[in-house]
Amino acid sequence: MSDGDLISEVYAGCFRRLVVQLYAVTGDLSEAQEAVQEAFTRALAAPRRFAGLENPEAWLRRVAVNVARSRHRRRRVLDGLLRRIGPPPVVADTAPEHLALLAALRQLPDGQRHALALHYLVDLPVDEVAHALGVSAGTVKSRLARGRQALALLLTDSDATDTTSTGRVDVRS
């Protein structure tokens, strides 16, 4: 039996049992599932070592419990820091113009939406937007121009827009 087959067999045989055990420890089903998944990920990272274990399920349980404990400690530290700095600022703007802008942005293709958000809402220069998105500055400039054009159409007259079947505005034509 190959190492990968062994891991698959152990996964099929004990994943649910491990999740139930971790759920009892954490009290949070999604946290338990993530901790067990992380344990299996670590097993996949060193399959030969995992195959040599006398009791793979016990090893997975120990790793999953340690992962859950570490995450709990980090979350507790973060909660303490957040309490010290006070409540988060209110960010949501419910003005009709703001809601219309957000709705229009959601209709744009991802590239245009990301470029517009980073440039105009986060105030990043074009070069930093390009770096963040992993594209050239010219591509960012093109996306900004097309995005502005599409937003102008969406925000002034929604009946005059040419939308695709996904509801996104096609500004390439």
Side-chain angles (χ1 to χ4, degrees):
M1 173 183 297
S2 75
D3 297 340
D5 290 340
L6 171 66
I7 294 172
S8 294
E9 186 178 304
V10 172
Y11 183 87
C14 69
F15 178 81
R16 295 180 102 188
R17 187 169 44 248
L18 288 170
V19 168
V20 168
Q21 293 166 1
L22 263 288
Y23 180 47
V25 171
T26 64
D28 182 337
L29 181 59
S30 64
E31 183 67 30
Q33 290 170 330
E34 288 181 25
V36 173
Q37 288 171 353
E38 177 64 26
F40 274 100
T41 300
R42 292 181 185 183
L44 287 168
R48 291 200 188 279
R49 184 173 144 224
F50 184 76
L53 294 172
E54 190 173 313
N55 186 344
E57 185 174 345
W59 182 86
L60 288 164
R61 183 180 311 102
R62 182 176 189 87
V63 170
V65 166
N66 288 340
V67 165
R69 285 180 179 160
S70 293
R71 291 173 67 143
H72 177 71
R73 277 192 302 271
R74 282 192 296 258
R75 190 171 29 258
R76 215 176 48 216
V77 169
L78 177 62
D79 289 346
L81 291 171
L82 292 174
R83 275 193 300 277
R84 275 191 238 149
I85 62 173
V90 177
V91 178
D93 182 357
T94 58
E97 300 82 18
H98 183 76
L99 296 176
L101 175 62
L102 292 177
L105 278 169
R106 282 192 297 271
Q107 293 182 45
L108 298 179
D110 289 345
Q112 291 174 14
R113 183 174 57 250
H114 294 162
L116 287 166
L118 291 173
H119 186 65
Y120 292 108
L121 301 178
V122 182
D123 274 339
L124 292 181
V126 170
D127 290 338
E128 287 186 39
V129 173
H131 181 71
L133 297 178
V135 297
S136 72
T139 299
V140 171
K141 290 176 185 177
S142 173
R143 289 177 180 176
L144 289 172
R146 289 181 178 165
R148 284 190 303 265
Q149 180 185 14
L151 280 177
L153 289 171
L154 287 167
L155 294 172
T156 56
D157 184 7
S158 61
D159 295 333
T161 59
D162 175 24
T163 58
T164 64
S165 61
T166 62
R168 295 184 178 210
V169 175
D170 185 4
V171 294
R172 288 175 269 156
S173 51

